[in-house]
Amino acid sequence: MSVPDYMQCAEDHQTLLVVVQPIGIVPEESFFRIYKRISAVSQVNVRNSQRVLYIRYRHHYPPENNEWGDFQTHRKVVGLITITECSSAKEWSQTFEKFHLQKEMYGSTLYDSRLFVFGLQGEIAEQPRTDVAFYPSYNECETVEKRIEDFIESLFIVLESKRLDRATDKSGDKIPLLCVPFEKKDFVGLDTDSRHYKKRCQGRMRKHVGDLCLQAGMLQDSLVHYHMAVELLRSVNDFLWLGAALEGLCSASVIYHYPGGTGGKIGSRRAQGGSLSAEAGNRHRPGAQEVLIDPGALTSNGINADTSAEIGRAKNCLSPEDIIEKYKEAISYYGKYKNAGVIELEACVKAVRVLAMQKRSMEASEFLQNAVYINLRQLSEEEKIQRYSILSELYERIGFHRKSAFFKRIAAMQCAAPSIPEPGWRACYKLLLETLPGYSLSLDPQDFSKGTHRGWAAVQMRLLHELVYASRRMGNPALCVRHLSFLLQTMLDFLSDQEKKDVTQSLESYTAKCPGTMEVITLPDGLKLPPVPFTKLPIVKSVKLLNLPTSLRPHKMKSLLGQNVSTKSPFIYSPIIAHSRGEERNKKIDFQWVQGDVCEVQLMVYNPMPFELRVENMGLLTTGVEFESLPAALSLPAESGLYPVTLVGVPQTTGQITVNGYHTSVFGVFSDCLLDNLPGVKTNGCTVEVIPALPRLQISTSLPRSAHTLQPSSGDEISTNVSVQLYNGETQQLIIKLENIGTEPLEKLEVTAKTVNTKEKLYGDFLTWNLEDTLCQFPLKPGKIATFIVNIKVKLDFSCQENLLQDLSDDGISVSGLPLSSPFRQVVKPRVETKPLNPQESSKVGDFSHVKSQQTKKVKKDQAKSGNCRVGCPCSVLGELSAHLTVLSPAIYSVGKCFSVNSSLSCSELFFFFFSSVHTSNKTE
């Protein structure tokens, strides 16, 4: 015997083997359609008995294995069913002749045979025949199952007659010596009359009868015969048949202890327990056909055909522990014979299945290890693939997942062996996929983002490389890209610098033909490969939504003239939602974005690769409102530290917008990276409100810009500082141009002035305006310009106390002057630090040396000596006014009588101009 049956299990010893084969040209689909209906009749009950028969169907069986039928009867082909197509009487004779030739192949062991003919009609088809069944077509064959039942009944009758014939002790008859094929030449010339020879014959026959009893459903009788055979064969050292007797004893005991079977097949076998009632005996496997066979015609000489009594069963049946010990003994006897390698291999497989039922994994692995090293003939590549696949399944069954993956991977490599003319790369790829769980490897990248890496990274990388190679040989570049992307994403921490370069170069070469996408790839067998986003190329550490620039930030519109609307609401506490407030607070953003304005999100990223990383087409992924993402391109230096990257976009509609992640294109692979899948990413909230588009106003003035930049009173205000110098009583116009640079019309304008007087010493109405001409230009359309005129008139009253100079000095104002004898003869010269604006005026001023400021008493004394007028007299010398005017922010000015004042110092008056629109928010530049 040269072809092992790796699907063998202990309960197969009680089955009858029936071969179903086609004759002539039969469509494969039609053949297996009928084969499926035939194989459904696999379990039958004997009428008026608890005996059950099991049928094992095969559509291919090597004839050389049939020669071992005397050694183990379940290997003997006892039934033959042939299927053929015949359309005319002329073809019928040739078909029937082929049927007889097929029977001759298994003629020495056949009990009965049947021929199913499809398509033949007429006189021949109407003739009643026992061994032939005619059907018009494959769709009109309702009686197939009934024909199979009749066929099984005939098999049982022959089996029972053979069992009775050989079980009856006929004194004086010479018992034949049963042999396996390779033993026949060894017994030529032996003394057949010796006691040793007779014991050998008796022991082998007892073992054979035990096989027949087991097939006939007589479990107790088979146990008795096996025990007797073991004693006889052990006494004559007939080791090969002793091993077969021990294996038969193990099989019968397994059937008793594990009535559901050990093969792991679909559906359970009928229980064989001793407490079964007659009603329980009539139950059979779901979906199996039932045949009731009356054994009464076979009862003779007062022998009950059903001798499977429960008496003595417990004594003859092996315990679960003894079953394994006997299997070991039997396998050791098989190992003495080179030609029994297949028998030894199959016995190891059967023992492993039993040990799997007993949850004894370590002992099962020893049997499997022995099976690996059993030397058989030179196996073909297909047989090697089958052998390694079965070993993998058995290791998987006993819980040795990594060992199972190892043998399945060997089977996969065998599919593409160099000796095969047409390598099966698809089968290789399929088997490689089945090895992934054994190596703790999943093709879902999210399984690797949860934390600790599981499995051996070196082996996993090797397996992924083999998947890439098999995909390429299959001619599927999309699979190559997907597996290489998975390798780079999940194994990045384990790759050396050179390996990183090699993998990225290979990936770029594949994506040049087939770019990587975020689509799910569905394989022919239904397996789905999820997309692999490059969340590590680059690695993102933080995401921050940025507020709009100060000039574009929206503000809630409130009246600038003093109206204050209360927006208070009652506070209601609810403990039901208290637990979720913390999370909502973390995600709440206290600013707003504006429809149509460019919004920014800042990412802190770094490049883990040992070379420059080029990231193309990087943009934002959002939900909630329509958003136009403006892609960016990055070039990150090798192994760079945290690098800020700003991604921008424009919201097109209003509502709540959530930034879910970003998309990139790296090495030709397009990735959608979601923030939820990025471990350790810090964010200050990802949801912000987008309000409708607002008007935008640009302001320009006719005055020159001030050299001093004054800080606004609030960081949200936009200021423009202008400078003007006026004398007391002088008037000047400030022309302010209002240009609508947005897309929304300006409908309302409010103007107010605020004077900030720190010491309340300086006062006066310096600014006046008339809004009627300006408001006539409203609403101001986009692109239009309106003009607003402010009149500046310096009107100061110096009729205050004499300690004004001291107050000004206390405020930090530098004052310079000279003793005045007469206001008509003396002109005050300005300080060098504050030269007059007009050069011509400076020439008219007298050349007096600079004198530092004097004390208050000195000034009063000089004034008395000169006979000058008192402070506030109409004949006072002209004073110089130096002021800073600020639009939308404070403006500083200061004055002095008969003195030059440094206007850049603090103690002064402040002016504010405010412009706003009718909308809820306002933006200004």
Side-chain angles (χ1 to χ4, degrees):
M1 186 163 53
S2 59
V3 181
D5 184 2
Y6 295 100
M7 302 307 295
Q8 282 271 319
C9 49
E11 54 267 24
D12 285 344
H13 282 248
Q14 66 178 349
T15 60
L16 298 175
L17 179 59
V18 176
V19 174
V20 183
Q21 292 182 338
I23 293 179
I25 301 176
V26 179
E28 183 177 355
E29 181 181 357
S30 301
F31 170 77
F32 282 103
R33 179 178 167 189
I34 300 300
Y35 178 80
K36 184 178 180 181
R37 294 179 60 182
I38 292 173
S39 60
V41 189
S42 59
Q43 181 175 324
V44 297
N45 286 29
V46 179
R47 188 177 300 161
N48 300 328
S49 171
Q50 294 185 13
R51 294 162 61 181
V52 182
L53 299 180
Y54 296 94
I55 311 299
R56 187 170 89 257
Y57 295 93
R58 293 288 185 269
H59 55 78
H60 176 73
Y61 193 73
E64 59 270 19
N65 287 12
N66 194 40
E67 297 177 0
W68 289 69
D70 290 337
F71 181 74
Q72 291 175 327
T73 56
H74 72 281
R75 302 181 184 277
K76 182 188 301 184
V77 179
V78 298
L80 175 65
I81 300 175
T82 55
I83 299 173
T84 187
E85 285 187 3
C86 187
S87 58
S88 63
K90 182 179 180 181
E91 296 179 4
W92 165 243
S93 58
Q94 299 178 355
T95 301
F96 196 70
E97 183 178 354
K98 292 179 181 178
F99 172 57
H100 280 285
L101 293 175
Q102 196 78 3
K103 286 198 301 182
E104 291 178 0
M105 185 180 299
Y106 307 102
S108 60
T109 59
L110 280 182
Y111 292 172
D112 201 355
S113 59
R114 292 290 185 272
L115 173 63
F116 288 177
V117 182
F118 293 89
L120 183 61
Q121 297 180 0
E123 183 178 353
I124 298 176
E126 294 175 358
Q127 297 177 359
R129 301 179 63 100
T130 305
D131 57 345
V132 181
F134 296 95
Y135 297 102
S137 65
Y138 293 104
N139 296 325
E140 302 177 19
C141 54
E142 295 81 5
T143 63
V144 167
E145 289 80 5
K146 182 63 173 62
R147 292 275 188 174
I148 298 300
E149 293 174 6
D150 297 339
F151 174 65
I152 294 175
E153 182 176 357
S154 67
L155 295 181
F156 174 75
I157 294 173
V158 177
L159 172 65
E160 189 69 3
S161 64
K162 287 182 176 293
R163 185 191 66 80
L164 291 174
D165 181 61
R166 299 193 175 185
T168 304
D169 186 10
K170 300 178 181 179
S171 301
D173 291 348
K174 193 172 184 179
I175 301 176
L177 179 64
L178 301 177
C179 300
V180 295
F182 72 87
E183 284 184 322
K184 293 179 180 179
K185 63 179 183 301
D186 297 334
F187 293 113
V188 176
L190 287 181
D191 185 6
T192 59
D193 295 330
S194 65
R195 185 174 180 181
H196 188 277
Y197 183 83
K198 289 180 179 180
K199 277 194 174 184
R200 187 192 296 268
C201 294
Q202 291 175 359
R204 293 189 179 190
M205 184 57 68
R206 283 292 180 180
K207 187 267 170 193
H208 181 67
V209 173
D211 289 346
L212 294 175
C213 292
L214 190 60
Q215 286 182 308
M218 302 174 67
L219 184 59
Q220 174 59 31
D221 284 7
S222 66
L223 288 170
V224 173
H225 286 294
Y226 284 138
H227 272 289
M228 295 175 62
V230 169
E231 296 299 328
L232 289 170
L233 295 170
R234 196 186 297 276
S235 64
V236 296
N237 293 331
D238 193 357
F239 295 118
L240 181 61
W241 285 78
L242 175 58
L246 290 171
E247 186 181 356
L249 187 61
C250 292
S251 298
S253 301
V254 168
I255 292 170
Y256 173 73
H257 286 291
Y258 308 103
T262 62
K265 299 177 182 177
I266 300 175
S268 60
R269 302 171 66 89
R270 188 189 70 84
Q272 295 283 335
S275 61
L276 290 175
S277 63
E279 292 78 9
N282 291 328
R283 293 197 298 268
H284 56 85
R285 182 173 57 185
Q289 299 294 326
E290 179 181 307
V291 180
L292 297 178
I293 304 173
D294 186 4
L298 302 176
T299 303
S300 60
N301 299 326
I303 300 177
N304 185 3
D306 185 7
T307 59
S308 299
E310 298 304 319
I311 301 175
R313 173 173 296 182
K315 177 181 178 182
N316 295 323
C317 184
L318 299 175
S319 66
E321 293 77 14
D322 290 339
I323 290 174
I324 303 305
E325 293 301 323
K326 297 302 181 185
Y327 263 125
K328 289 182 180 179
E329 185 179 357
I331 291 172
S332 67
Y333 293 146
Y334 291 149
K336 296 178 181 294
Y337 299 89
K338 180 179 179 181
N339 294 324
V342 173
I343 303 295
E344 181 185 1
L345 176 61
E346 292 180 356
C348 289
V349 172
K350 296 169 191 174
V352 169
R353 298 185 189 277
V354 176
L355 285 167
M357 297 291 295
Q358 298 178 358
K359 309 297 183 184
R360 298 161 65 180
S361 300
M362 292 304 297
E363 295 179 64
S365 67
E366 294 177 4
F367 279 93
L368 280 177
Q369 193 69 17
N370 181 63
V372 171
Y373 292 107
I374 293 176
N375 187 17
L376 300 178
R377 61 171 177 82
Q378 187 65 30
L379 300 178
S380 65
E381 301 300 337
E382 294 182 0
E383 290 173 336
K384 290 179 182 178
I385 294 171
Q386 183 186 17
R387 181 179 185 180
Y388 294 133
S389 298
I390 294 299
L391 287 173
S392 172
E393 292 177 9
L394 292 174
Y395 272 114
E396 180 71 23
R397 191 170 181 184
I398 64 176
F400 284 38
H401 304 295
R402 196 169 60 203
K403 198 82 170 207
S404 171
F406 171 76
F407 280 102
K408 188 154 289 186
R409 181 166 164 265
I410 293 178
M413 295 297 101
Q414 207 66 43
C415 293
S419 58
I420 300 179
E422 296 182 1
W425 288 108
R426 294 188 180 277
C428 174
Y429 179 81
K430 183 177 182 299
L431 289 173
L432 286 175
L433 287 180
E434 295 176 2
T435 65
L436 297 179
Y439 291 115
S440 302
L441 191 59
S442 167
L443 292 181
D444 190 352
Q446 293 189 5
D447 295 340
F448 288 82
S449 61
K450 299 177 181 179
T452 308
H453 183 90
R454 296 179 62 247
W456 289 351
V459 178
Q460 292 172 345
M461 288 189 291
R462 176 67 178 272
L463 183 59
L464 290 173
H465 277 294
E466 291 170 353
L467 283 173
V468 173
Y469 185 75
S471 303
R472 183 175 69 84
R473 296 301 299 267
M474 288 167 53
N476 194 333
L479 276 181
C480 298
V481 172
R482 182 60 49 88
H483 290 313
L484 270 178
S485 302
F486 183 86
L487 171 63
L488 193 58
Q489 169 69 18
T490 59
M491 303 295 169
L492 185 63
D493 298 336
F494 305 99
L495 293 172
S496 64
D497 291 348
Q498 185 59 41
E499 288 174 337
K500 290 178 182 178
K501 294 179 182 179
D502 295 340
V503 171
T504 53
Q505 288 176 1
S506 300
L507 185 60
E508 287 179 329
S509 65
Y510 286 129
T511 53
K513 303 176 183 178
C514 181
T517 64
M518 291 295 294
E519 298 179 358
V520 177
I521 297 179
T522 303
L523 300 177
D525 57 353
L527 180 65
K528 297 182 181 297
L529 299 182
V532 182
F534 278 160
T535 58
K536 293 185 178 180
L537 298 172
I539 298 178
V540 177
K541 282 299 182 182
S542 67
V543 178
K544 181 180 180 181
L545 276 65
L546 302 181
N547 198 352
L548 294 172
T550 306
S551 61
L552 299 179
R553 293 176 188 173
H555 302 279
K556 288 185 178 180
M557 189 182 73
K558 55 185 178 180
S559 175
L560 300 174
L561 302 179
Q563 295 90 341
N564 185 17
V565 180
S566 177
T567 59
K568 295 182 179 180
S569 61
F571 171 75
I572 301 176
Y573 172 76
S574 175
I576 299 177
I577 61 175
H579 66 279
S580 62
R581 288 179 179 171
E583 182 179 356
E584 293 176 358
R585 189 183 302 111
N586 293 336
K587 292 188 176 182
K588 182 180 180 181
I589 296 180
D590 57 357
F591 57 80
Q592 297 170 323
W593 284 351
V594 180
Q595 175 187 358
D597 286 350
V598 176
C599 306
E600 298 178 337
V601 177
Q602 186 181 72
L603 279 66
M604 298 301 294
V605 304
Y606 73 90
N607 172 23
M609 305 300 282
F611 49 84
E612 184 181 12
L613 180 65
R614 296 186 303 275
V615 183
E616 302 174 358
N617 194 29
M618 190 173 186
L620 294 173
L621 296 175
T622 61
T623 57
V625 303
E626 183 180 349
F627 187 82
E628 180 187 359
S629 178
L630 305 178
L634 311 177
S635 181
L636 301 176
E639 298 178 349
S640 64
L642 287 179
Y643 189 86
V645 174
T646 302
L647 302 180
V648 300
V650 180
Q652 304 295 329
T653 56
T654 62
Q656 294 284 340
I657 183 172
T658 301
V659 177
N660 297 324
Y662 59 93
H663 62 83
T664 60
S665 175
V666 183
F667 304 126
V669 178
F670 296 92
S671 303
D672 291 341
C673 305
L674 301 180
L675 299 183
D676 294 339
N677 298 333
L678 302 179
V681 173
K682 298 180 180 179
T683 102
N684 63 339
C686 300
T687 301
V688 68
E689 181 183 1
V690 179
I691 62 175
L694 300 178
R696 295 174 59 183
L697 179 66
Q698 179 173 291
I699 300 175
S700 59
T701 65
S702 59
L703 295 178
R705 185 177 295 273
S706 173
H708 303 283
T709 301
L710 302 177
Q711 294 295 331
S713 60
S714 173
D716 293 337
E717 295 178 355
I718 307 300
S719 63
T720 298
N721 304 319
V722 297
S723 176
V724 63
Q725 288 185 343
L726 299 175
Y727 289 100
N728 191 19
E730 187 177 356
T731 302
Q732 184 168 339
Q733 284 188 343
L734 171 63
I735 301 176
I736 301 176
K737 292 183 179 180
L738 310 176
E739 181 180 359
N740 186 354
I741 62 174
T743 59
E744 302 293 327
L746 284 166
E747 300 177 358
K748 187 177 181 181
L749 176 67
E750 292 185 6
V751 180
T752 184
K754 182 178 180 182
T755 303
V756 179
N757 191 348
T758 57
K759 289 295 184 177
E760 299 183 358
K761 300 292 192 300
L762 307 177
Y763 60 93
D765 296 332
F766 303 107
L767 304 178
T768 58
W769 60 82
N770 187 357
L771 286 178
E772 294 182 359
D773 295 341
T774 303
L775 293 178
C776 292
Q777 306 175 53
F778 278 71
L780 190 63
K781 301 296 181 181
K784 300 297 182 179
I785 300 177
T787 303
F788 173 58
I789 300 177
V790 177
N791 297 313
I792 306 174
K793 182 176 181 181
V794 181
K795 182 180 180 182
L796 302 179
D797 186 359
F798 292 97
S799 60
C800 53
Q801 293 82 359
E802 294 183 359
N803 60 353
L804 172 63
L805 180 60
Q806 181 64 37
D807 293 337
L808 295 177
S809 298
D810 294 341
D811 290 336
I813 301 178
S814 298
V815 180
S816 61
L818 292 173
L820 303 177
S821 58
S822 171
F824 301 101
R825 297 192 304 267
Q826 188 172 350
V827 180
V828 178
K829 178 181 178 181
R831 289 183 57 183
V832 178
E833 292 84 349
T834 55
K835 294 182 180 180
L837 296 178
N838 192 351
Q840 297 177 357
E841 296 179 0
S842 61
S843 60
K844 300 177 183 180
V845 181
D847 186 11
F848 297 96
S849 61
H850 180 70
V851 180
K852 291 290 181 181
S853 59
Q854 308 293 325
Q855 295 182 356
T856 305
K857 293 181 180 180
K858 179 68 175 176
V859 173
K860 292 181 179 179
K861 182 178 179 180
D862 292 340
Q863 291 175 348
K865 289 182 178 181
S866 62
N868 193 13
C869 303
R870 295 184 179 272
V871 177
C873 179
C875 62
S876 301
V877 181
L878 290 176
E880 179 184 0
L881 172 65
S882 176
H884 291 280
L885 300 181
T886 303
V887 180
L888 291 181
S889 66
I892 301 175
Y893 79 95
S894 59
V895 298
K897 188 170 184 295
C898 299
F899 303 98
S900 175
V901 182
N902 187 351
S903 62
S904 63
L905 301 177
S906 59
C907 177
S908 53
E909 305 243 354
L910 308 178
F911 294 88
F912 288 86
F913 289 88
F914 294 93
F915 302 91
S916 63
S917 69
V918 75
H919 293 276
T920 58
S921 300
N922 184 31
K923 298 178 294 183
T924 59
E925 286 187 349

